[in-house]
Amino acid sequence: MEQRIKELGAYYVEHDISLDDLKQIRKELRTEKLKNESLNNEHFKRFLSLKDKQIFSGNLTIDFFMSSVKKGSRLLSIHESELLILQLLMANPHKTLKDKEILNVLAAYGYSIGLKSLIVYVSRISHKIGKTTKQESYIKRHWKQGYYWNVKVGAQEESV
């Protein structure tokens, strides 16, 4: 195993492959895996369609290509797993997504968590993004069923 790691390291150095390149490859492979596993699921198809988009909802601007979330003009600190949850919910506004569906997306991206952790993640996201200017919650919970995005969502053309 150690020899294989050395060979891979030498290959990366020889071909000038950076850590950022590897992260991008990893992200693309996970997206492809998710796409192959869930071709018949409309929620996942819409999730994948937002991959390179900038989305507006209430006073939030989320750029999935740049992995950034802004509330008004303030940039929020957000973890990749939280961004994946936002992407799935916003891709399916006003539709309840079962906890298991959300957990499956996270698992496809390497985040194997349980239901209690999902509740904590969503709670953390809700606290970060707050409420709309009309004081509505962005994320709502259908008790023991799942979550849904409660605010209208608009998209802009692909980021470059």
Side-chain angles (χ1 to χ4, degrees):
M1 176 78 165
E2 193 173 308
Q3 179 61 28
R4 183 73 177 135
I5 292 171
K6 287 180 183 178
E7 290 172 7
L8 282 172
Y11 180 85
Y12 296 146
V13 169
E14 182 180 325
H15 291 88
D16 198 28
I17 299 172
S18 70
L19 182 58
D20 287 337
D21 294 334
L22 292 175
K23 286 179 181 178
Q24 184 62 33
I25 291 167
R26 179 178 175 220
K27 187 176 180 181
E28 292 296 324
L29 288 173
R30 286 190 172 147
T31 299
E32 198 59 37
K33 178 183 175 190
L34 181 61
K35 190 184 293 184
N36 290 336
E37 289 176 355
S38 55
L39 284 175
N40 295 325
N41 188 314
E42 288 300 318
H43 293 155
F44 291 125
K45 286 180 185 176
R46 286 190 288 273
F47 165 81
L48 293 172
S49 74
L50 293 185
K51 185 177 93 165
D52 296 324
K53 303 260 195 254
Q54 188 175 61
I55 302 298
F56 303 94
S57 186
N59 59 349
L60 294 176
T61 304
I62 295 130
D63 189 329
F64 294 108
F65 181 75
M66 298 298 291
S67 300
S68 68
V69 178
K70 284 186 180 180
K71 182 166 185 175
S73 61
R74 193 181 80 203
L75 187 62
L76 303 178
S77 172
I78 192 149
H79 190 268
E80 181 187 26
S81 59
E82 296 168 338
L83 193 63
L84 291 169
I85 293 169
L86 275 176
Q87 184 175 343
L88 184 58
L89 292 173
M90 293 180 81
N92 300 281
H94 305 291
K95 293 180 175 82
T96 300
L97 297 171
K98 294 179 180 174
D99 297 331
K100 185 168 178 64
E101 289 179 293
I102 299 169
L103 292 171
N104 286 341
V105 167
L106 292 173
Y109 283 84
Y111 299 99
S112 296
I113 64 170
L115 181 58
K116 289 182 180 179
S117 294
L118 175 63
I119 293 167
V120 170
Y121 276 47
V122 174
S123 176
R124 193 178 321 148
I125 295 166
S126 292
H127 282 94
K128 285 181 182 181
I129 63 176
K131 296 182 184 271
T132 68
T133 53
K134 297 178 183 177
Q135 295 303 311
E136 296 178 71
S137 294
Y138 284 100
I139 301 172
K140 296 269 188 164
R141 172 108 173 119
H142 277 151
W143 185 247
K144 294 190 178 185
Q145 290 183 31
Y147 295 92
Y148 67 97
W149 191 259
N150 188 42
V151 181
K152 184 179 176 185
V153 174
Q156 190 172 353
E157 291 303 310
E158 288 186 11
S159 300
V160 179

